[in-house]
Amino acid sequence: SHAEEQRRHVAAVVAAEAERLLGDAEFHPADGSPRALRPQDLAVLVASHHEADLIAAALRARGIPSVQH
């Protein structure tokens, strides 16, 4: 369906942005030196388990680990 296609597209865009951030961004903690951003520093909020599954699959396809809570 068109809606499913859109959800898959959004998942791909989110994964691409996560990959970009993980390659370029630095994290500046209040109590330490700047360091590279890590996968565990990112969070993606979704409306459903299905959307979470799509995001996880898109991240996995780019070699980015994820967990779902």
Side-chain angles (χ1 to χ4, degrees):
S1 75
H2 181 66
E4 182 65 15
E5 184 178 313
Q6 284 185 316
R7 281 190 282 276
R8 289 184 188 281
H9 174 73
V10 168
V13 169
V14 168
E17 181 64 6
E19 184 176 53
R20 185 191 71 76
L21 287 170
L22 292 169
D24 294 343
E26 281 190 340
F27 178 66
H28 296 266
D31 60 348
S33 300
R35 62 167 173 77
L37 201 64
R38 298 184 297 225
Q40 59 265 38
D41 296 322
L42 303 177
V44 180
L45 302 178
V46 296
S48 70
H49 290 292
H50 179 64
E51 288 178 6
D53 291 341
L54 292 174
I55 297 283
L59 290 169
R60 197 169 36 255
R62 292 177 177 268
I64 301 170
S66 68
V67 297
Q68 294 179 2
H69 293 282

PDB file of all heavy atoms in Angstrom, residues 11-24 37-44 52-68:
ATOM      1  N   ALA A  11      11.580   5.086   7.336  1.00  0.00           N
ATOM      2  CA  ALA A  11      12.554   4.254   8.040  1.00  0.00           C
ATOM      3  C   ALA A  11      13.926   4.355   7.377  1.00  0.00           C
ATOM      4  O   ALA A  11      14.951   4.476   8.059  1.00  0.00           O
ATOM      5  CB  ALA A  11      12.086   2.800   8.085  1.00  0.00           C
ATOM      6  N   ALA A  12      13.963   4.335   6.063  1.00  0.00           N
ATOM      7  CA  ALA A  12      15.237   4.445   5.340  1.00  0.00           C
ATOM      8  C   ALA A  12      15.885   5.808   5.565  1.00  0.00           C
ATOM      9  O   ALA A  12      17.107   5.900   5.751  1.00  0.00           O
ATOM     10  CB  ALA A  12      15.017   4.188   3.855  1.00  0.00           C
ATOM     11  N   VAL A  13      15.078   6.854   5.576  1.00  0.00           N
ATOM     12  CA  VAL A  13      15.601   8.204   5.804  1.00  0.00           C
ATOM     13  C   VAL A  13      16.147   8.330   7.230  1.00  0.00           C
ATOM     14  O   VAL A  13      17.220   8.900   7.450  1.00  0.00           O
ATOM     15  CB  VAL A  13      14.518   9.269   5.522  1.00  0.00           C
ATOM     16  CG1 VAL A  13      14.944  10.651   5.998  1.00  0.00           C
ATOM     17  CG2 VAL A  13      14.185   9.288   4.028  1.00  0.00           C
ATOM     18  N   VAL A  14      15.425   7.792   8.197  1.00  0.00           N
ATOM     19  CA  VAL A  14      15.886   7.828   9.594  1.00  0.00           C
ATOM     20  C   VAL A  14      17.212   7.082   9.727  1.00  0.00           C
ATOM     21  O   VAL A  14      18.149   7.562  10.375  1.00  0.00           O
ATOM     22  CB  VAL A  14      14.819   7.238  10.537  1.00  0.00           C
ATOM     23  CG1 VAL A  14      15.380   6.988  11.926  1.00  0.00           C
ATOM     24  CG2 VAL A  14      13.621   8.164  10.613  1.00  0.00           C
ATOM     25  N   ALA A  15      17.313   5.914   9.116  1.00  0.00           N
ATOM     26  CA  ALA A  15      18.554   5.126   9.192  1.00  0.00           C
ATOM     27  C   ALA A  15      19.706   5.867   8.520  1.00  0.00           C
ATOM     28  O   ALA A  15      20.833   5.855   9.026  1.00  0.00           O
ATOM     29  CB  ALA A  15      18.345   3.756   8.566  1.00  0.00           C
ATOM     30  N   ALA A  16      19.442   6.512   7.402  1.00  0.00           N
ATOM     31  CA  ALA A  16      20.491   7.273   6.721  1.00  0.00           C
ATOM     32  C   ALA A  16      20.972   8.434   7.583  1.00  0.00           C
ATOM     33  O   ALA A  16      22.178   8.708   7.664  1.00  0.00           O
ATOM     34  CB  ALA A  16      19.977   7.786   5.374  1.00  0.00           C
ATOM     35  N   GLU A  17      20.046   9.107   8.249  1.00  0.00           N
ATOM     36  CA  GLU A  17      20.430  10.216   9.129  1.00  0.00           C
ATOM     37  C   GLU A  17      21.206   9.702  10.339  1.00  0.00           C
ATOM     38  O   GLU A  17      22.175  10.324  10.771  1.00  0.00           O
ATOM     39  CB  GLU A  17      19.197  11.008   9.562  1.00  0.00           C
ATOM     40  CG  GLU A  17      19.498  12.188  10.462  1.00  0.00           C
ATOM     41  CD  GLU A  17      20.333  13.284   9.801  1.00  0.00           C
ATOM     42  OE1 GLU A  17      20.604  13.225   8.596  1.00  0.00           O
ATOM     43  OE2 GLU A  17      20.729  14.225  10.531  1.00  0.00           O
ATOM     44  N   ALA A  18      20.801   8.574  10.889  1.00  0.00           N
ATOM     45  CA  ALA A  18      21.543   7.984  12.010  1.00  0.00           C
ATOM     46  C   ALA A  18      22.968   7.657  11.566  1.00  0.00           C
ATOM     47  O   ALA A  18      23.935   7.939  12.294  1.00  0.00           O
ATOM     48  CB  ALA A  18      20.840   6.724  12.510  1.00  0.00           C
ATOM     49  N   GLU A  19      23.102   7.083  10.386  1.00  0.00           N
ATOM     50  CA  GLU A  19      24.431   6.750   9.872  1.00  0.00           C
ATOM     51  C   GLU A  19      25.280   8.010   9.696  1.00  0.00           C
ATOM     52  O   GLU A  19      26.456   8.043  10.048  1.00  0.00           O
ATOM     53  CB  GLU A  19      24.291   6.010   8.546  1.00  0.00           C
ATOM     54  CG  GLU A  19      25.610   5.531   7.977  1.00  0.00           C
ATOM     55  CD  GLU A  19      25.415   4.716   6.725  1.00  0.00           C
ATOM     56  OE1 GLU A  19      24.741   5.202   5.778  1.00  0.00           O
ATOM     57  OE2 GLU A  19      25.931   3.592   6.678  1.00  0.00           O
ATOM     58  N   ARG A  20      24.673   9.070   9.177  1.00  0.00           N
ATOM     59  CA  ARG A  20      25.397  10.337   9.006  1.00  0.00           C
ATOM     60  C   ARG A  20      25.856  10.886  10.352  1.00  0.00           C
ATOM     61  O   ARG A  20      27.012  11.282  10.526  1.00  0.00           O
ATOM     62  CB  ARG A  20      24.513  11.365   8.300  1.00  0.00           C
ATOM     63  CG  ARG A  20      25.255  12.676   7.987  1.00  0.00           C
ATOM     64  CD  ARG A  20      24.303  13.756   7.528  1.00  0.00           C
ATOM     65  NE  ARG A  20      23.462  14.253   8.608  1.00  0.00           N
ATOM     66  CZ  ARG A  20      23.875  15.095   9.567  1.00  0.00           C
ATOM     67  NH1 ARG A  20      25.122  15.516   9.621  1.00  0.00           N
ATOM     68  NH2 ARG A  20      23.020  15.503  10.504  1.00  0.00           N
ATOM     69  N   LEU A  21      24.951  10.895  11.315  1.00  0.00           N
ATOM     70  CA  LEU A  21      25.299  11.406  12.647  1.00  0.00           C
ATOM     71  C   LEU A  21      26.413  10.578  13.288  1.00  0.00           C
ATOM     72  O   LEU A  21      27.321  11.128  13.902  1.00  0.00           O
ATOM     73  CB  LEU A  21      24.064  11.410  13.549  1.00  0.00           C
ATOM     74  CG  LEU A  21      23.027  12.476  13.235  1.00  0.00           C
ATOM     75  CD1 LEU A  21      21.756  12.210  14.029  1.00  0.00           C
ATOM     76  CD2 LEU A  21      23.571  13.862  13.515  1.00  0.00           C
ATOM     77  N   LEU A  22      26.331   9.282  13.151  1.00  0.00           N
ATOM     78  CA  LEU A  22      27.339   8.413  13.758  1.00  0.00           C
ATOM     79  C   LEU A  22      28.701   8.603  13.102  1.00  0.00           C
ATOM     80  O   LEU A  22      29.735   8.367  13.726  1.00  0.00           O
ATOM     81  CB  LEU A  22      26.899   6.950  13.693  1.00  0.00           C
ATOM     82  CG  LEU A  22      25.694   6.635  14.583  1.00  0.00           C
ATOM     83  CD1 LEU A  22      25.156   5.248  14.270  1.00  0.00           C
ATOM     84  CD2 LEU A  22      26.061   6.751  16.047  1.00  0.00           C
ATOM     85  N   GLY A  23      28.708   9.046  11.866  1.00  0.00           N
ATOM     86  CA  GLY A  23      29.969   9.276  11.180  1.00  0.00           C
ATOM     87  C   GLY A  23      30.537  10.656  11.389  1.00  0.00           C
ATOM     88  O   GLY A  23      31.744  10.866  11.282  1.00  0.00           O
ATOM     89  N   ASP A  24      29.681  11.639  11.699  1.00  0.00           N
ATOM     90  CA  ASP A  24      30.111  13.039  11.724  1.00  0.00           C
ATOM     91  C   ASP A  24      30.024  13.729  13.077  1.00  0.00           C
ATOM     92  O   ASP A  24      30.788  14.642  13.346  1.00  0.00           O
ATOM     93  CB  ASP A  24      29.247  13.875  10.766  1.00  0.00           C
ATOM     94  CG  ASP A  24      29.447  13.501   9.317  1.00  0.00           C
ATOM     95  OD1 ASP A  24      30.451  12.840   8.997  1.00  0.00           O
ATOM     96  OD2 ASP A  24      28.581  13.865   8.505  1.00  0.00           O
ATOM     97  N   LEU A  37      29.787  10.242  18.543  1.00  0.00           N
ATOM     98  CA  LEU A  37      28.441   9.771  18.851  1.00  0.00           C
ATOM     99  C   LEU A  37      28.385   8.263  18.656  1.00  0.00           C
ATOM    100  O   LEU A  37      28.991   7.725  17.728  1.00  0.00           O
ATOM    101  CB  LEU A  37      27.447  10.460  17.909  1.00  0.00           C
ATOM    102  CG  LEU A  37      25.998  10.522  18.327  1.00  0.00           C
ATOM    103  CD1 LEU A  37      25.849  11.355  19.593  1.00  0.00           C
ATOM    104  CD2 LEU A  37      25.168  11.128  17.216  1.00  0.00           C
ATOM    105  N   ARG A  38      27.686   7.562  19.532  1.00  0.00           N
ATOM    106  CA  ARG A  38      27.557   6.104  19.455  1.00  0.00           C
ATOM    107  C   ARG A  38      26.087   5.737  19.272  1.00  0.00           C
ATOM    108  O   ARG A  38      25.199   6.521  19.621  1.00  0.00           O
ATOM    109  CB  ARG A  38      28.085   5.460  20.744  1.00  0.00           C
ATOM    110  CG  ARG A  38      29.562   5.731  20.983  1.00  0.00           C
ATOM    111  CD  ARG A  38      30.076   5.013  22.204  1.00  0.00           C
ATOM    112  NE  ARG A  38      29.420   5.486  23.414  1.00  0.00           N
ATOM    113  CZ  ARG A  38      30.047   5.783  24.548  1.00  0.00           C
ATOM    114  NH1 ARG A  38      31.348   5.667  24.637  1.00  0.00           N
ATOM    115  NH2 ARG A  38      29.369   6.182  25.600  1.00  0.00           N
ATOM    116  N   PRO A  39      25.829   4.533  18.739  1.00  0.00           N
ATOM    117  CA  PRO A  39      24.430   4.124  18.536  1.00  0.00           C
ATOM    118  C   PRO A  39      23.570   4.256  19.790  1.00  0.00           C
ATOM    119  O   PRO A  39      22.408   4.663  19.710  1.00  0.00           O
ATOM    120  CB  PRO A  39      24.549   2.668  18.082  1.00  0.00           C
ATOM    121  CG  PRO A  39      25.859   2.605  17.392  1.00  0.00           C
ATOM    122  CD  PRO A  39      26.754   3.538  18.205  1.00  0.00           C
ATOM    123  N   GLN A  40      24.121   3.965  20.950  1.00  0.00           N
ATOM    124  CA  GLN A  40      23.341   4.041  22.187  1.00  0.00           C
ATOM    125  C   GLN A  40      23.021   5.480  22.600  1.00  0.00           C
ATOM    126  O   GLN A  40      22.235   5.697  23.509  1.00  0.00           O
ATOM    127  CB  GLN A  40      24.015   3.278  23.328  1.00  0.00           C
ATOM    128  CG  GLN A  40      25.394   3.757  23.682  1.00  0.00           C
ATOM    129  CD  GLN A  40      26.494   2.976  22.996  1.00  0.00           C
ATOM    130  OE1 GLN A  40      26.371   2.590  21.844  1.00  0.00           O
ATOM    131  NE2 GLN A  40      27.581   2.727  23.712  1.00  0.00           N
ATOM    132  N   ASP A  41      23.595   6.463  21.903  1.00  0.00           N
ATOM    133  CA  ASP A  41      23.272   7.864  22.169  1.00  0.00           C
ATOM    134  C   ASP A  41      22.015   8.319  21.432  1.00  0.00           C
ATOM    135  O   ASP A  41      21.498   9.397  21.709  1.00  0.00           O
ATOM    136  CB  ASP A  41      24.429   8.773  21.741  1.00  0.00           C
ATOM    137  CG  ASP A  41      25.698   8.524  22.536  1.00  0.00           C
ATOM    138  OD1 ASP A  41      25.602   8.278  23.757  1.00  0.00           O
ATOM    139  OD2 ASP A  41      26.784   8.583  21.928  1.00  0.00           O
ATOM    140  N   LEU A  42      21.545   7.518  20.488  1.00  0.00           N
ATOM    141  CA  LEU A  42      20.410   7.895  19.650  1.00  0.00           C
ATOM    142  C   LEU A  42      19.126   7.218  20.127  1.00  0.00           C
ATOM    143  O   LEU A  42      19.164   6.114  20.643  1.00  0.00           O
ATOM    144  CB  LEU A  42      20.657   7.484  18.197  1.00  0.00           C
ATOM    145  CG  LEU A  42      21.925   8.041  17.545  1.00  0.00           C
ATOM    146  CD1 LEU A  42      22.057   7.477  16.132  1.00  0.00           C
ATOM    147  CD2 LEU A  42      21.881   9.547  17.524  1.00  0.00           C
ATOM    148  N   ALA A  43      18.006   7.890  19.908  1.00  0.00           N
ATOM    149  CA  ALA A  43      16.694   7.306  20.183  1.00  0.00           C
ATOM    150  C   ALA A  43      15.746   7.721  19.061  1.00  0.00           C
ATOM    151  O   ALA A  43      15.831   8.835  18.549  1.00  0.00           O
ATOM    152  CB  ALA A  43      16.148   7.794  21.522  1.00  0.00           C
ATOM    153  N   VAL A  44      14.888   6.805  18.686  1.00  0.00           N
ATOM    154  CA  VAL A  44      13.871   7.076  17.673  1.00  0.00           C
ATOM    155  C   VAL A  44      12.523   6.711  18.274  1.00  0.00           C
ATOM    156  O   VAL A  44      12.313   5.573  18.687  1.00  0.00           O
ATOM    157  CB  VAL A  44      14.107   6.242  16.386  1.00  0.00           C
ATOM    158  CG1 VAL A  44      13.034   6.534  15.355  1.00  0.00           C
ATOM    159  CG2 VAL A  44      15.507   6.501  15.819  1.00  0.00           C
ATOM    160  N   ALA A  52       8.532   0.484  14.588  1.00  0.00           N
ATOM    161  CA  ALA A  52       9.791   0.156  15.255  1.00  0.00           C
ATOM    162  C   ALA A  52      10.518  -0.959  14.505  1.00  0.00           C
ATOM    163  O   ALA A  52      11.741  -0.907  14.324  1.00  0.00           O
ATOM    164  CB  ALA A  52       9.537  -0.253  16.703  1.00  0.00           C
ATOM    165  N   ASP A  53       9.776  -1.955  14.058  1.00  0.00           N
ATOM    166  CA  ASP A  53      10.381  -3.051  13.297  1.00  0.00           C
ATOM    167  C   ASP A  53      10.988  -2.548  11.990  1.00  0.00           C
ATOM    168  O   ASP A  53      12.077  -2.983  11.593  1.00  0.00           O
ATOM    169  CB  ASP A  53       9.348  -4.135  13.000  1.00  0.00           C
ATOM    170  CG  ASP A  53       8.898  -4.889  14.243  1.00  0.00           C
ATOM    171  OD1 ASP A  53       9.605  -4.843  15.275  1.00  0.00           O
ATOM    172  OD2 ASP A  53       7.826  -5.514  14.178  1.00  0.00           O
ATOM    173  N   LEU A  54      10.299  -1.635  11.317  1.00  0.00           N
ATOM    174  CA  LEU A  54      10.817  -1.086  10.061  1.00  0.00           C
ATOM    175  C   LEU A  54      12.093  -0.283  10.297  1.00  0.00           C
ATOM    176  O   LEU A  54      13.067  -0.405   9.539  1.00  0.00           O
ATOM    177  CB  LEU A  54       9.760  -0.211   9.380  1.00  0.00           C
ATOM    178  CG  LEU A  54       8.531  -0.925   8.844  1.00  0.00           C
ATOM    179  CD1 LEU A  54       7.510   0.097   8.333  1.00  0.00           C
ATOM    180  CD2 LEU A  54       8.900  -1.907   7.751  1.00  0.00           C
ATOM    181  N   ILE A  55      12.102   0.535  11.346  1.00  0.00           N
ATOM    182  CA  ILE A  55      13.288   1.329  11.678  1.00  0.00           C
ATOM    183  C   ILE A  55      14.451   0.400  12.030  1.00  0.00           C
ATOM    184  O   ILE A  55      15.572   0.581  11.553  1.00  0.00           O
ATOM    185  CB  ILE A  55      13.016   2.295  12.857  1.00  0.00           C
ATOM    186  CG1 ILE A  55      11.946   3.323  12.483  1.00  0.00           C
ATOM    187  CG2 ILE A  55      14.302   2.954  13.341  1.00  0.00           C
ATOM    188  CD1 ILE A  55      12.386   4.446  11.594  1.00  0.00           C
ATOM    189  N   ALA A  56      14.198  -0.603  12.862  1.00  0.00           N
ATOM    190  CA  ALA A  56      15.254  -1.544  13.258  1.00  0.00           C
ATOM    191  C   ALA A  56      15.834  -2.248  12.039  1.00  0.00           C
ATOM    192  O   ALA A  56      17.051  -2.419  11.936  1.00  0.00           O
ATOM    193  CB  ALA A  56      14.710  -2.552  14.268  1.00  0.00           C
ATOM    194  N   ALA A  57      14.991  -2.655  11.116  1.00  0.00           N
ATOM    195  CA  ALA A  57      15.463  -3.335   9.910  1.00  0.00           C
ATOM    196  C   ALA A  57      16.316  -2.399   9.053  1.00  0.00           C
ATOM    197  O   ALA A  57      17.363  -2.805   8.521  1.00  0.00           O
ATOM    198  CB  ALA A  57      14.286  -3.874   9.107  1.00  0.00           C
ATOM    199  N   ALA A  58      15.895  -1.148   8.940  1.00  0.00           N
ATOM    200  CA  ALA A  58      16.655  -0.179   8.152  1.00  0.00           C
ATOM    201  C   ALA A  58      18.001   0.115   8.803  1.00  0.00           C
ATOM    202  O   ALA A  58      19.017   0.245   8.112  1.00  0.00           O
ATOM    203  CB  ALA A  58      15.845   1.100   7.969  1.00  0.00           C
ATOM    204  N   LEU A  59      18.024   0.208  10.124  1.00  0.00           N
ATOM    205  CA  LEU A  59      19.292   0.406  10.830  1.00  0.00           C
ATOM    206  C   LEU A  59      20.196  -0.811  10.658  1.00  0.00           C
ATOM    207  O   LEU A  59      21.394  -0.677  10.379  1.00  0.00           O
ATOM    208  CB  LEU A  59      19.033   0.674  12.316  1.00  0.00           C
ATOM    209  CG  LEU A  59      18.385   2.013  12.656  1.00  0.00           C
ATOM    210  CD1 LEU A  59      17.941   2.028  14.109  1.00  0.00           C
ATOM    211  CD2 LEU A  59      19.336   3.165  12.366  1.00  0.00           C
ATOM    212  N   ARG A  60      19.631  -1.992  10.821  1.00  0.00           N
ATOM    213  CA  ARG A  60      20.388  -3.236  10.674  1.00  0.00           C
ATOM    214  C   ARG A  60      21.002  -3.337   9.280  1.00  0.00           C
ATOM    215  O   ARG A  60      22.148  -3.759   9.124  1.00  0.00           O
ATOM    216  CB  ARG A  60      19.465  -4.415  10.966  1.00  0.00           C
ATOM    217  CG  ARG A  60      20.141  -5.710  11.248  1.00  0.00           C
ATOM    218  CD  ARG A  60      19.206  -6.798  11.797  1.00  0.00           C
ATOM    219  NE  ARG A  60      17.853  -6.800  11.262  1.00  0.00           N
ATOM    220  CZ  ARG A  60      16.763  -6.362  11.909  1.00  0.00           C
ATOM    221  NH1 ARG A  60      16.870  -5.884  13.130  1.00  0.00           N
ATOM    222  NH2 ARG A  60      15.574  -6.408  11.353  1.00  0.00           N
ATOM    223  N   ALA A  61      20.266  -2.919   8.267  1.00  0.00           N
ATOM    224  CA  ALA A  61      20.768  -2.963   6.895  1.00  0.00           C
ATOM    225  C   ALA A  61      21.999  -2.071   6.711  1.00  0.00           C
ATOM    226  O   ALA A  61      22.811  -2.309   5.824  1.00  0.00           O
ATOM    227  CB  ALA A  61      19.668  -2.537   5.917  1.00  0.00           C
ATOM    228  N   ARG A  62      22.147  -1.079   7.584  1.00  0.00           N
ATOM    229  CA  ARG A  62      23.311  -0.188   7.539  1.00  0.00           C
ATOM    230  C   ARG A  62      24.361  -0.558   8.579  1.00  0.00           C
ATOM    231  O   ARG A  62      25.327   0.185   8.791  1.00  0.00           O
ATOM    232  CB  ARG A  62      22.868   1.258   7.727  1.00  0.00           C
ATOM    233  CG  ARG A  62      22.052   1.783   6.551  1.00  0.00           C
ATOM    234  CD  ARG A  62      21.579   3.188   6.797  1.00  0.00           C
ATOM    235  NE  ARG A  62      20.869   3.702   5.653  1.00  0.00           N
ATOM    236  CZ  ARG A  62      21.436   4.399   4.655  1.00  0.00           C
ATOM    237  NH1 ARG A  62      22.725   4.642   4.689  1.00  0.00           N
ATOM    238  NH2 ARG A  62      20.708   4.839   3.649  1.00  0.00           N
ATOM    239  N   GLY A  63      24.144  -1.687   9.256  1.00  0.00           N
ATOM    240  CA  GLY A  63      25.110  -2.138  10.251  1.00  0.00           C
ATOM    241  C   GLY A  63      25.063  -1.381  11.555  1.00  0.00           C
ATOM    242  O   GLY A  63      26.024  -1.392  12.327  1.00  0.00           O
ATOM    243  N   ILE A  64      23.938  -0.750  11.848  1.00  0.00           N
ATOM    244  CA  ILE A  64      23.780   0.022  13.079  1.00  0.00           C
ATOM    245  C   ILE A  64      22.950  -0.797  14.058  1.00  0.00           C
ATOM    246  O   ILE A  64      21.800  -1.127  13.773  1.00  0.00           O
ATOM    247  CB  ILE A  64      23.085   1.369  12.798  1.00  0.00           C
ATOM    248  CG1 ILE A  64      23.904   2.186  11.787  1.00  0.00           C
ATOM    249  CG2 ILE A  64      22.883   2.146  14.101  1.00  0.00           C
ATOM    250  CD1 ILE A  64      23.180   3.422  11.267  1.00  0.00           C
ATOM    251  N   PRO A  65      23.523  -1.137  15.217  1.00  0.00           N
ATOM    252  CA  PRO A  65      22.755  -1.932  16.194  1.00  0.00           C
ATOM    253  C   PRO A  65      21.632  -1.105  16.805  1.00  0.00           C
ATOM    254  O   PRO A  65      21.720   0.118  16.914  1.00  0.00           O
ATOM    255  CB  PRO A  65      23.802  -2.291  17.252  1.00  0.00           C
ATOM    256  CG  PRO A  65      24.863  -1.256  17.126  1.00  0.00           C
ATOM    257  CD  PRO A  65      24.865  -0.806  15.688  1.00  0.00           C
ATOM    258  N   SER A  66      20.581  -1.815  17.203  1.00  0.00           N
ATOM    259  CA  SER A  66      19.449  -1.140  17.849  1.00  0.00           C
ATOM    260  C   SER A  66      18.764  -2.094  18.808  1.00  0.00           C
ATOM    261  O   SER A  66      18.951  -3.310  18.722  1.00  0.00           O
ATOM    262  CB  SER A  66      18.457  -0.628  16.809  1.00  0.00           C
ATOM    263  OG  SER A  66      17.824  -1.719  16.162  1.00  0.00           O
ATOM    264  N   VAL A  67      18.004  -1.522  19.706  1.00  0.00           N
ATOM    265  CA  VAL A  67      17.158  -2.293  20.626  1.00  0.00           C
ATOM    266  C   VAL A  67      15.787  -1.652  20.621  1.00  0.00           C
ATOM    267  O   VAL A  67      15.634  -0.480  20.292  1.00  0.00           O
ATOM    268  CB  VAL A  67      17.718  -2.343  22.070  1.00  0.00           C
ATOM    269  CG1 VAL A  67      19.058  -3.053  22.117  1.00  0.00           C
ATOM    270  CG2 VAL A  67      17.845  -0.940  22.648  1.00  0.00           C
ATOM    271  N   GLN A  68      14.790  -2.434  20.993  1.00  0.00           N
ATOM    272  CA  GLN A  68      13.423  -1.908  21.087  1.00  0.00           C
ATOM    273  C   GLN A  68      12.936  -2.072  22.515  1.00  0.00           C
ATOM    274  O   GLN A  68      13.121  -3.108  23.116  1.00  0.00           O
ATOM    275  CB  GLN A  68      12.501  -2.640  20.126  1.00  0.00           C
ATOM    276  CG  GLN A  68      12.826  -2.416  18.683  1.00  0.00           C
ATOM    277  CD  GLN A  68      11.908  -3.178  17.755  1.00  0.00           C
ATOM    278  OE1 GLN A  68      10.984  -3.867  18.181  1.00  0.00           O
ATOM    279  NE2 GLN A  68      12.151  -3.077  16.467  1.00  0.00           N
TER     280      GLN A  68
END
